[in-house]
PDB file of all heavy atoms in Angstrom:
ATOM      1  N   PHE A   1      11.033  25.488  59.660  1.00 89.00           N
ATOM      2  CA  PHE A   1      11.291  26.329  60.831  1.00 89.00           C
ATOM      3  C   PHE A   1      12.680  26.377  61.305  1.00 89.00           C
ATOM      4  O   PHE A   1      13.213  27.327  61.856  1.00 89.00           O
ATOM      5  CB  PHE A   1      10.300  25.906  61.991  1.00 89.00           C
ATOM      6  CG  PHE A   1       8.889  26.465  61.738  1.00 89.00           C
ATOM      7  CD1 PHE A   1       7.880  25.537  61.459  1.00 89.00           C
ATOM      8  CD2 PHE A   1       8.584  27.768  61.847  1.00 89.00           C
ATOM      9  CE1 PHE A   1       6.596  25.926  61.256  1.00 89.00           C
ATOM     10  CE2 PHE A   1       7.295  28.252  61.716  1.00 89.00           C
ATOM     11  CZ  PHE A   1       6.320  27.303  61.424  1.00 89.00           C
ATOM     12  N   ARG A   2      13.429  25.319  61.164  1.00 87.00           N
ATOM     13  CA  ARG A   2      14.844  25.123  61.657  1.00 87.00           C
ATOM     14  C   ARG A   2      15.796  25.911  60.779  1.00 87.00           C
ATOM     15  O   ARG A   2      16.811  26.313  61.239  1.00 87.00           O
ATOM     16  CB  ARG A   2      15.115  23.623  61.651  1.00 87.00           C
ATOM     17  CG  ARG A   2      16.517  23.377  62.154  1.00 87.00           C
ATOM     18  CD  ARG A   2      16.864  21.924  62.317  1.00 87.00           C
ATOM     19  NE  ARG A   2      16.048  21.405  63.395  1.00 87.00           N
ATOM     20  CZ  ARG A   2      15.743  20.141  63.553  1.00 87.00           C
ATOM     21  NH1 ARG A   2      16.105  19.220  62.662  1.00 87.00           N
ATOM     22  NH2 ARG A   2      15.033  19.719  64.526  1.00 87.00           N
ATOM     23  N   ASP A   3      15.514  26.124  59.496  1.00 86.00           N
ATOM     24  CA  ASP A   3      16.423  26.724  58.579  1.00 86.00           C
ATOM     25  C   ASP A   3      16.633  28.204  58.874  1.00 86.00           C
ATOM     26  O   ASP A   3      15.691  29.026  58.603  1.00 86.00           O
ATOM     27  CB  ASP A   3      15.992  26.465  57.134  1.00 86.00           C
ATOM     28  CG  ASP A   3      17.050  26.912  56.122  1.00 86.00           C
ATOM     29  OD1 ASP A   3      18.089  27.292  56.503  1.00 86.00           O
ATOM     30  OD2 ASP A   3      16.732  26.776  54.962  1.00 86.00           O
ATOM     31  N   ASP A   4      17.752  28.612  59.346  1.00 85.00           N
ATOM     32  CA  ASP A   4      18.036  30.009  59.685  1.00 85.00           C
ATOM     33  C   ASP A   4      18.357  30.844  58.413  1.00 85.00           C
ATOM     34  O   ASP A   4      18.429  32.021  58.466  1.00 85.00           O
ATOM     35  CB  ASP A   4      19.192  30.117  60.670  1.00 85.00           C
ATOM     36  CG  ASP A   4      18.853  29.618  61.959  1.00 85.00           C
ATOM     37  OD1 ASP A   4      17.619  29.643  62.387  1.00 85.00           O
ATOM     38  OD2 ASP A   4      19.745  29.087  62.691  1.00 85.00           O
ATOM     39  N   SER A   5      18.579  30.184  57.292  1.00 87.00           N
ATOM     40  CA  SER A   5      19.004  30.971  56.066  1.00 87.00           C
ATOM     41  C   SER A   5      17.707  31.490  55.388  1.00 87.00           C
ATOM     42  O   SER A   5      17.846  32.340  54.551  1.00 87.00           O
ATOM     43  CB  SER A   5      19.803  29.991  55.071  1.00 87.00           C
ATOM     44  OG  SER A   5      19.004  29.025  54.592  1.00 87.00           O
ATOM     45  N   LEU A   6      16.556  30.938  55.685  1.00 87.00           N
ATOM     46  CA  LEU A   6      15.312  31.431  55.141  1.00 87.00           C
ATOM     47  C   LEU A   6      14.769  32.671  55.849  1.00 87.00           C
ATOM     48  O   LEU A   6      14.886  32.715  57.115  1.00 87.00           O
ATOM     49  CB  LEU A   6      14.264  30.331  55.164  1.00 87.00           C
ATOM     50  CG  LEU A   6      14.412  29.202  54.147  1.00 87.00           C
ATOM     51  CD1 LEU A   6      13.225  28.180  54.465  1.00 87.00           C
ATOM     52  CD2 LEU A   6      14.366  29.688  52.783  1.00 87.00           C
ATOM     53  N   SER A   7      14.278  33.599  55.135  1.00 90.00           N
ATOM     54  CA  SER A   7      13.692  34.757  55.801  1.00 90.00           C
ATOM     55  C   SER A   7      12.321  34.402  56.286  1.00 90.00           C
ATOM     56  O   SER A   7      11.786  33.302  56.060  1.00 90.00           O
ATOM     57  CB  SER A   7      13.570  35.911  54.843  1.00 90.00           C
ATOM     58  OG  SER A   7      12.644  35.648  53.770  1.00 90.00           O
ATOM     59  N   GLY A   8      11.721  35.275  57.083  1.00 90.00           N
ATOM     60  CA  GLY A   8      10.321  35.002  57.571  1.00 90.00           C
ATOM     61  C   GLY A   8       9.360  34.850  56.426  1.00 90.00           C
ATOM     62  O   GLY A   8       8.451  33.950  56.454  1.00 90.00           O
ATOM     63  N   TRP A   9       9.452  35.680  55.426  1.00 93.00           N
ATOM     64  CA  TRP A   9       8.536  35.579  54.300  1.00 93.00           C
ATOM     65  C   TRP A   9       8.719  34.231  53.562  1.00 93.00           C
ATOM     66  O   TRP A   9       7.757  33.606  53.063  1.00 93.00           O
ATOM     67  CB  TRP A   9       8.658  36.772  53.329  1.00 93.00           C
ATOM     68  CG  TRP A   9       8.066  37.965  53.917  1.00 93.00           C
ATOM     69  CD1 TRP A   9       8.786  39.099  54.411  1.00 93.00           C
ATOM     70  CD2 TRP A   9       6.800  38.329  54.121  1.00 93.00           C
ATOM     71  NE1 TRP A   9       7.939  40.096  54.928  1.00 93.00           N
ATOM     72  CE2 TRP A   9       6.669  39.630  54.727  1.00 93.00           C
ATOM     73  CE3 TRP A   9       5.601  37.586  53.855  1.00 93.00           C
ATOM     74  CZ2 TRP A   9       5.439  40.240  55.071  1.00 93.00           C
ATOM     75  CZ3 TRP A   9       4.316  38.256  54.302  1.00 93.00           C
ATOM     76  CH2 TRP A   9       4.306  39.503  54.823  1.00 93.00           C
ATOM     77  N   ALA A  10       9.995  33.828  53.379  1.00 91.00           N
ATOM     78  CA  ALA A  10      10.278  32.561  52.618  1.00 91.00           C
ATOM     79  C   ALA A  10       9.750  31.419  53.508  1.00 91.00           C
ATOM     80  O   ALA A  10       9.050  30.410  52.909  1.00 91.00           O
ATOM     81  CB  ALA A  10      11.722  32.400  52.422  1.00 91.00           C
ATOM     82  N   LYS A  11       9.911  31.486  54.727  1.00 91.00           N
ATOM     83  CA  LYS A  11       9.347  30.403  55.593  1.00 91.00           C
ATOM     84  C   LYS A  11       7.836  30.396  55.496  1.00 91.00           C
ATOM     85  O   LYS A  11       7.228  29.295  55.392  1.00 91.00           O
ATOM     86  CB  LYS A  11       9.739  30.588  57.060  1.00 91.00           C
ATOM     87  CG  LYS A  11      11.203  30.286  57.396  1.00 91.00           C
ATOM     88  CD  LYS A  11      11.534  30.403  58.746  1.00 91.00           C
ATOM     89  CE  LYS A  11      13.057  30.260  58.966  1.00 91.00           C
ATOM     90  NZ  LYS A  11      13.404  30.301  60.394  1.00 91.00           N
ATOM     91  N   THR A  12       7.179  31.531  55.462  1.00 92.00           N
ATOM     92  CA  THR A  12       5.735  31.602  55.417  1.00 92.00           C
ATOM     93  C   THR A  12       5.283  31.055  53.964  1.00 92.00           C
ATOM     94  O   THR A  12       4.329  30.268  53.927  1.00 92.00           O
ATOM     95  CB  THR A  12       5.235  33.058  55.503  1.00 92.00           C
ATOM     96  OG1 THR A  12       5.655  33.490  56.785  1.00 92.00           O
ATOM     97  CG2 THR A  12       3.796  33.222  55.447  1.00 92.00           C
ATOM     98  N   GLY A  13       6.030  31.420  52.880  1.00 93.00           N
ATOM     99  CA  GLY A  13       5.635  30.932  51.621  1.00 93.00           C
ATOM    100  C   GLY A  13       5.742  29.497  51.483  1.00 93.00           C
ATOM    101  O   GLY A  13       4.773  28.774  51.038  1.00 93.00           O
ATOM    102  N   TRP A  14       6.831  28.817  52.071  1.00 91.00           N
ATOM    103  CA  TRP A  14       7.004  27.392  52.040  1.00 91.00           C
ATOM    104  C   TRP A  14       5.951  26.682  52.908  1.00 91.00           C
ATOM    105  O   TRP A  14       5.345  25.704  52.459  1.00 91.00           O
ATOM    106  CB  TRP A  14       8.385  26.919  52.462  1.00 91.00           C
ATOM    107  CG  TRP A  14       9.454  27.028  51.452  1.00 91.00           C
ATOM    108  CD1 TRP A  14      10.550  27.885  51.445  1.00 91.00           C
ATOM    109  CD2 TRP A  14       9.568  26.278  50.190  1.00 91.00           C
ATOM    110  NE1 TRP A  14      11.199  27.646  50.214  1.00 91.00           N
ATOM    111  CE2 TRP A  14      10.663  26.620  49.448  1.00 91.00           C
ATOM    112  CE3 TRP A  14       8.723  25.176  49.702  1.00 91.00           C
ATOM    113  CZ2 TRP A  14      11.068  26.122  48.320  1.00 91.00           C
ATOM    114  CZ3 TRP A  14       9.111  24.685  48.446  1.00 91.00           C
ATOM    115  CH2 TRP A  14      10.186  25.119  47.873  1.00 91.00           C
ATOM    116  N   LEU A  15       5.686  27.222  53.990  1.00 92.00           N
ATOM    117  CA  LEU A  15       4.635  26.719  54.934  1.00 92.00           C
ATOM    118  C   LEU A  15       3.303  26.762  54.218  1.00 92.00           C
ATOM    119  O   LEU A  15       2.505  25.642  54.369  1.00 92.00           O
ATOM    120  CB  LEU A  15       4.673  27.450  56.248  1.00 92.00           C
ATOM    121  CG  LEU A  15       3.878  26.794  57.356  1.00 92.00           C
ATOM    122  CD1 LEU A  15       4.436  25.441  57.636  1.00 92.00           C
ATOM    123  CD2 LEU A  15       3.951  27.645  58.603  1.00 92.00           C
ATOM    124  N   VAL A  16       2.881  27.804  53.701  1.00 92.00           N
ATOM    125  CA  VAL A  16       1.516  27.936  52.998  1.00 92.00           C
ATOM    126  C   VAL A  16       1.528  26.964  51.803  1.00 92.00           C
ATOM    127  O   VAL A  16       0.534  26.241  51.740  1.00 92.00           O
ATOM    128  CB  VAL A  16       1.354  29.383  52.518  1.00 92.00           C
ATOM    129  CG1 VAL A  16       0.219  29.454  51.546  1.00 92.00           C
ATOM    130  CG2 VAL A  16       1.110  30.352  53.818  1.00 92.00           C
ATOM    131  N   PHE A  17       2.660  26.868  51.047  1.00 91.00           N
ATOM    132  CA  PHE A  17       2.663  25.923  49.950  1.00 91.00           C
ATOM    133  C   PHE A  17       2.564  24.529  50.389  1.00 91.00           C
ATOM    134  O   PHE A  17       1.863  23.756  49.838  1.00 91.00           O
ATOM    135  CB  PHE A  17       4.043  26.141  49.192  1.00 91.00           C
ATOM    136  CG  PHE A  17       4.053  25.472  47.899  1.00 91.00           C
ATOM    137  CD1 PHE A  17       3.019  25.324  47.034  1.00 91.00           C
ATOM    138  CD2 PHE A  17       5.337  24.924  47.461  1.00 91.00           C
ATOM    139  CE1 PHE A  17       3.131  24.647  45.809  1.00 91.00           C
ATOM    140  CE2 PHE A  17       5.438  24.307  46.164  1.00 91.00           C
ATOM    141  CZ  PHE A  17       4.244  24.138  45.489  1.00 91.00           C
ATOM    142  N   THR A  18       3.191  24.102  51.492  1.00 90.00           N
ATOM    143  CA  THR A  18       3.047  22.685  51.951  1.00 90.00           C
ATOM    144  C   THR A  18       1.769  22.367  52.636  1.00 90.00           C
ATOM    145  O   THR A  18       1.374  21.230  52.677  1.00 90.00           O
ATOM    146  CB  THR A  18       4.281  22.324  52.898  1.00 90.00           C
ATOM    147  OG1 THR A  18       4.292  23.271  54.039  1.00 90.00           O
ATOM    148  CG2 THR A  18       5.601  22.397  52.235  1.00 90.00           C
ATOM    149  N   ILE A  19       1.068  23.440  53.079  1.00 89.00           N
ATOM    150  CA  ILE A  19      -0.217  23.114  53.693  1.00 89.00           C
ATOM    151  C   ILE A  19      -1.384  23.210  52.754  1.00 89.00           C
ATOM    152  O   ILE A  19      -2.232  22.348  52.763  1.00 89.00           O
ATOM    153  CB  ILE A  19      -0.456  24.172  54.943  1.00 89.00           C
ATOM    154  CG1 ILE A  19       0.488  23.815  56.040  1.00 89.00           C
ATOM    155  CG2 ILE A  19      -1.920  24.121  55.371  1.00 89.00           C
ATOM    156  CD1 ILE A  19       0.469  24.779  57.187  1.00 89.00           C
ATOM    157  N   VAL A  20      -1.351  24.179  51.822  1.00 91.00           N
ATOM    158  CA  VAL A  20      -2.386  24.294  50.846  1.00 91.00           C
ATOM    159  C   VAL A  20      -2.371  23.179  49.784  1.00 91.00           C
ATOM    160  O   VAL A  20      -3.358  22.634  49.444  1.00 91.00           O
ATOM    161  CB  VAL A  20      -2.305  25.774  50.138  1.00 91.00           C
ATOM    162  CG1 VAL A  20      -3.296  25.827  49.038  1.00 91.00           C
ATOM    163  CG2 VAL A  20      -2.649  26.833  51.197  1.00 91.00           C
ATOM    164  N   LEU A  21      -1.174  22.923  49.297  1.00 90.00           N
ATOM    165  CA  LEU A  21      -0.968  21.851  48.323  1.00 90.00           C
ATOM    166  C   LEU A  21       0.016  20.889  48.910  1.00 90.00           C
ATOM    167  O   LEU A  21       1.194  20.845  48.469  1.00 90.00           O
ATOM    168  CB  LEU A  21      -0.426  22.357  47.056  1.00 90.00           C
ATOM    169  CG  LEU A  21      -1.346  23.428  46.254  1.00 90.00           C
ATOM    170  CD1 LEU A  21      -0.637  24.059  45.090  1.00 90.00           C
ATOM    171  CD2 LEU A  21      -2.605  22.724  45.783  1.00 90.00           C
ATOM    172  N   PRO A  22      -0.358  20.095  49.901  1.00 85.00           N
ATOM    173  CA  PRO A  22       0.635  19.257  50.600  1.00 85.00           C
ATOM    174  C   PRO A  22       1.516  18.287  49.775  1.00 85.00           C
ATOM    175  O   PRO A  22       2.682  18.278  49.926  1.00 85.00           O
ATOM    176  CB  PRO A  22      -0.197  18.510  51.639  1.00 85.00           C
ATOM    177  CG  PRO A  22      -1.598  18.644  51.200  1.00 85.00           C
ATOM    178  CD  PRO A  22      -1.738  19.785  50.333  1.00 85.00           C
ATOM    179  N   PHE A  23       0.856  17.619  48.811  1.00 87.00           N
ATOM    180  CA  PHE A  23       1.667  16.715  48.097  1.00 87.00           C
ATOM    181  C   PHE A  23       2.697  17.427  47.138  1.00 87.00           C
ATOM    182  O   PHE A  23       3.922  17.083  47.169  1.00 87.00           O
ATOM    183  CB  PHE A  23       0.773  15.789  47.144  1.00 87.00           C
ATOM    184  CG  PHE A  23       0.072  14.743  47.928  1.00 87.00           C
ATOM    185  CD1 PHE A  23      -1.298  14.861  48.240  1.00 87.00           C
ATOM    186  CD2 PHE A  23       0.627  13.633  48.553  1.00 87.00           C
ATOM    187  CE1 PHE A  23      -1.987  14.007  49.024  1.00 87.00           C
ATOM    188  CE2 PHE A  23      -0.028  12.730  49.312  1.00 87.00           C
ATOM    189  CZ  PHE A  23      -1.417  12.985  49.646  1.00 87.00           C
ATOM    190  N   LEU A  24       2.211  18.333  46.411  1.00 91.00           N
ATOM    191  CA  LEU A  24       3.020  19.109  45.550  1.00 91.00           C
ATOM    192  C   LEU A  24       4.112  19.917  46.320  1.00 91.00           C
ATOM    193  O   LEU A  24       5.287  19.947  45.970  1.00 91.00           O
ATOM    194  CB  LEU A  24       2.174  20.031  44.589  1.00 91.00           C
ATOM    195  CG  LEU A  24       2.979  20.815  43.553  1.00 91.00           C
ATOM    196  CD1 LEU A  24       3.697  19.881  42.623  1.00 91.00           C
ATOM    197  CD2 LEU A  24       2.084  21.795  42.808  1.00 91.00           C
ATOM    198  N   GLY A  25       3.572  20.608  47.364  1.00 89.00           N
ATOM    199  CA  GLY A  25       4.468  21.437  48.154  1.00 89.00           C
ATOM    200  C   GLY A  25       5.618  20.727  48.815  1.00 89.00           C
ATOM    201  O   GLY A  25       6.789  21.047  48.751  1.00 89.00           O
ATOM    202  N   VAL A  26       5.399  19.507  49.320  1.00 89.00           N
ATOM    203  CA  VAL A  26       6.399  18.702  49.980  1.00 89.00           C
ATOM    204  C   VAL A  26       7.398  18.185  48.950  1.00 89.00           C
ATOM    205  O   VAL A  26       8.634  18.213  49.120  1.00 89.00           O
ATOM    206  CB  VAL A  26       5.692  17.466  50.787  1.00 89.00           C
ATOM    207  CG1 VAL A  26       6.886  16.435  51.161  1.00 89.00           C
ATOM    208  CG2 VAL A  26       5.113  18.082  52.052  1.00 89.00           C
ATOM    209  N   PHE A  27       6.804  17.657  47.813  1.00 90.00           N
ATOM    210  CA  PHE A  27       7.785  17.157  46.776  1.00 90.00           C
ATOM    211  C   PHE A  27       8.656  18.297  46.166  1.00 90.00           C
ATOM    212  O   PHE A  27       9.870  18.087  45.933  1.00 90.00           O
ATOM    213  CB  PHE A  27       6.988  16.435  45.726  1.00 90.00           C
ATOM    214  CG  PHE A  27       6.416  15.150  46.155  1.00 90.00           C
ATOM    215  CD1 PHE A  27       5.059  14.848  45.865  1.00 90.00           C
ATOM    216  CD2 PHE A  27       7.131  14.252  46.867  1.00 90.00           C
ATOM    217  CE1 PHE A  27       4.509  13.624  46.324  1.00 90.00           C
ATOM    218  CE2 PHE A  27       6.588  13.041  47.356  1.00 90.00           C
ATOM    219  CZ  PHE A  27       5.230  12.742  47.038  1.00 90.00           C
ATOM    220  N   VAL A  28       8.066  19.493  45.998  1.00 91.00           N
ATOM    221  CA  VAL A  28       8.850  20.597  45.458  1.00 91.00           C
ATOM    222  C   VAL A  28       9.900  20.973  46.446  1.00 91.00           C
ATOM    223  O   VAL A  28      11.034  21.284  46.156  1.00 91.00           O
ATOM    224  CB  VAL A  28       7.936  21.765  45.000  1.00 91.00           C
ATOM    225  CG1 VAL A  28       8.785  23.018  44.817  1.00 91.00           C
ATOM    226  CG2 VAL A  28       7.086  21.408  43.797  1.00 91.00           C
ATOM    227  N   TYR A  29       9.531  21.022  47.839  1.00 89.00           N
ATOM    228  CA  TYR A  29      10.428  21.400  48.831  1.00 89.00           C
ATOM    229  C   TYR A  29      11.619  20.458  48.902  1.00 89.00           C
ATOM    230  O   TYR A  29      12.806  20.747  48.995  1.00 89.00           O
ATOM    231  CB  TYR A  29       9.730  21.483  50.204  1.00 89.00           C
ATOM    232  CG  TYR A  29      10.675  22.011  51.348  1.00 89.00           C
ATOM    233  CD1 TYR A  29      10.802  23.322  51.544  1.00 89.00           C
ATOM    234  CD2 TYR A  29      11.352  21.138  52.088  1.00 89.00           C
ATOM    235  CE1 TYR A  29      11.662  23.729  52.485  1.00 89.00           C
ATOM    236  CE2 TYR A  29      12.221  21.538  53.092  1.00 89.00           C
ATOM    237  CZ  TYR A  29      12.355  22.878  53.308  1.00 89.00           C
ATOM    238  OH  TYR A  29      13.203  23.371  54.277  1.00 89.00           O
ATOM    239  N   VAL A  30      11.363  19.141  48.850  1.00 88.00           N
ATOM    240  CA  VAL A  30      12.347  18.057  48.966  1.00 88.00           C
ATOM    241  C   VAL A  30      13.278  18.200  47.732  1.00 88.00           C
ATOM    242  O   VAL A  30      14.495  18.033  47.892  1.00 88.00           O
ATOM    243  CB  VAL A  30      11.702  16.740  49.016  1.00 88.00           C
ATOM    244  CG1 VAL A  30      12.814  15.658  48.849  1.00 88.00           C
ATOM    245  CG2 VAL A  30      11.069  16.561  50.399  1.00 88.00           C
ATOM    246  N   VAL A  31      12.749  18.499  46.566  1.00 91.00           N
ATOM    247  CA  VAL A  31      13.553  18.540  45.299  1.00 91.00           C
ATOM    248  C   VAL A  31      14.405  19.831  45.442  1.00 91.00           C
ATOM    249  O   VAL A  31      15.622  19.879  45.173  1.00 91.00           O
ATOM    250  CB  VAL A  31      12.738  18.635  44.083  1.00 91.00           C
ATOM    251  CG1 VAL A  31      13.585  19.014  42.844  1.00 91.00           C
ATOM    252  CG2 VAL A  31      12.064  17.229  43.793  1.00 91.00           C
ATOM    253  N   ALA A  32      13.779  21.034  45.831  1.00 89.00           N
ATOM    254  CA  ALA A  32      14.499  22.254  45.805  1.00 89.00           C
ATOM    255  C   ALA A  32      15.458  22.415  47.019  1.00 89.00           C
ATOM    256  O   ALA A  32      16.559  22.945  46.835  1.00 89.00           O
ATOM    257  CB  ALA A  32      13.506  23.448  45.874  1.00 89.00           C
ATOM    258  N   ARG A  33      15.131  21.916  48.221  1.00 87.00           N
ATOM    259  CA  ARG A  33      15.913  22.142  49.334  1.00 87.00           C
ATOM    260  C   ARG A  33      16.336  20.860  50.190  1.00 87.00           C
ATOM    261  O   ARG A  33      16.793  20.927  51.227  1.00 87.00           O
ATOM    262  CB  ARG A  33      15.132  23.137  50.416  1.00 87.00           C
ATOM    263  CG  ARG A  33      14.759  24.407  49.661  1.00 87.00           C
ATOM    264  CD  ARG A  33      14.250  25.393  50.587  1.00 87.00           C
ATOM    265  NE  ARG A  33      14.888  25.519  51.806  1.00 87.00           N
ATOM    266  CZ  ARG A  33      16.017  26.276  52.031  1.00 87.00           C
ATOM    267  NH1 ARG A  33      16.561  26.939  50.971  1.00 87.00           N
ATOM    268  NH2 ARG A  33      16.488  26.358  53.239  1.00 87.00           N
ATOM    269  N   GLY A  34      16.001  19.705  49.490  1.00 83.00           N
ATOM    270  CA  GLY A  34      16.294  18.521  50.133  1.00 83.00           C
ATOM    271  C   GLY A  34      17.727  18.148  50.491  1.00 83.00           C
ATOM    272  O   GLY A  34      18.006  17.538  51.469  1.00 83.00           O
ATOM    273  N   LYS A  35      18.607  18.694  49.680  1.00 84.00           N
ATOM    274  CA  LYS A  35      20.020  18.381  49.850  1.00 84.00           C
ATOM    275  C   LYS A  35      20.614  19.009  51.180  1.00 84.00           C
ATOM    276  O   LYS A  35      21.276  18.378  51.920  1.00 84.00           O
ATOM    277  CB  LYS A  35      20.870  19.041  48.746  1.00 84.00           C
ATOM    278  CG  LYS A  35      22.318  18.706  48.768  1.00 84.00           C
ATOM    279  CD  LYS A  35      22.987  19.211  47.646  1.00 84.00           C
ATOM    280  CE  LYS A  35      24.510  18.830  47.606  1.00 84.00           C
ATOM    281  NZ  LYS A  35      25.226  19.307  46.461  1.00 84.00           N
ATOM    282  N   GLY A  36      19.971  20.100  51.576  1.00 86.00           N
ATOM    283  CA  GLY A  36      20.392  20.777  52.838  1.00 86.00           C
ATOM    284  C   GLY A  36      19.672  20.253  54.042  1.00 86.00           C
ATOM    285  O   GLY A  36      20.051  20.538  55.164  1.00 86.00           O
ATOM    286  N   MET A  37      18.567  19.482  53.867  1.00 88.00           N
ATOM    287  CA  MET A  37      17.859  18.969  55.042  1.00 88.00           C
ATOM    288  C   MET A  37      18.693  18.109  55.935  1.00 88.00           C
ATOM    289  O   MET A  37      18.658  18.220  57.157  1.00 88.00           O
ATOM    290  CB  MET A  37      16.642  18.244  54.540  1.00 88.00           C
ATOM    291  CG  MET A  37      15.494  19.089  54.021  1.00 88.00           C
ATOM    292  SD  MET A  37      14.125  18.026  53.418  1.00 88.00           S
ATOM    293  CE  MET A  37      13.352  17.549  54.924  1.00 88.00           C
ATOM    294  N   GLY A  38      19.457  17.234  55.348  1.00 86.00           N
ATOM    295  CA  GLY A  38      20.363  16.292  56.139  1.00 86.00           C
ATOM    296  C   GLY A  38      21.372  17.123  56.846  1.00 86.00           C
ATOM    297  O   GLY A  38      21.784  16.813  58.100  1.00 86.00           O
ATOM    298  N   LYS A  39      21.987  18.155  56.239  1.00 88.00           N
ATOM    299  CA  LYS A  39      23.037  18.921  56.821  1.00 88.00           C
ATOM    300  C   LYS A  39      22.487  19.719  57.994  1.00 88.00           C
ATOM    301  O   LYS A  39      23.107  19.816  59.040  1.00 88.00           O
ATOM    302  CB  LYS A  39      23.648  19.823  55.836  1.00 88.00           C
ATOM    303  CG  LYS A  39      24.832  20.711  56.446  1.00 88.00           C
ATOM    304  CD  LYS A  39      25.653  21.307  55.434  1.00 88.00           C
ATOM    305  CE  LYS A  39      26.657  22.193  55.941  1.00 88.00           C
ATOM    306  NZ  LYS A  39      26.995  22.188  57.380  1.00 88.00           N
ATOM    307  N   ARG A  40      21.195  20.303  57.829  1.00 88.00           N
ATOM    308  CA  ARG A  40      20.615  20.995  58.917  1.00 88.00           C
ATOM    309  C   ARG A  40      20.296  20.101  60.063  1.00 88.00           C
ATOM    310  O   ARG A  40      20.481  20.519  61.225  1.00 88.00           O
ATOM    311  CB  ARG A  40      19.346  21.786  58.386  1.00 88.00           C
ATOM    312  CG  ARG A  40      19.741  22.996  57.518  1.00 88.00           C
ATOM    313  CD  ARG A  40      18.479  23.809  57.174  1.00 88.00           C
ATOM    314  NE  ARG A  40      17.557  23.066  56.300  1.00 88.00           N
ATOM    315  CZ  ARG A  40      17.720  23.098  54.947  1.00 88.00           C
ATOM    316  NH1 ARG A  40      18.725  23.773  54.370  1.00 88.00           N
ATOM    317  NH2 ARG A  40      16.870  22.489  54.145  1.00 88.00           N
TER     318      ARG A  40
END
């Protein structure tokens, strides 16, 4: 929700992915976007 670079659809996709498949969704998110989490 904090990431302003994501569109609304991208936020919705990540949110659904992390809620429907929480373990896989969180791990994929951390691998794909984890580098920017600290900066944000």
Side-chain angles (χ1 to χ4, degrees):
F1 283 109
R2 182 176 289 158
D3 190 3
D4 292 333
S5 67
L6 288 176
S7 69
W9 287 108
K11 288 181 183 185
T12 303
W14 277 114
L15 191 61
V16 167
F17 190 35
T18 56
I19 290 175
V20 172
L21 298 170
F23 290 106
L24 183 63
V26 166
F27 290 133
V28 169
Y29 185 85
V30 169
V31 168
R33 302 187 46 84
K35 186 176 183 181
M37 286 176 73
K39 181 165 178 12
R40 284 188 290 277

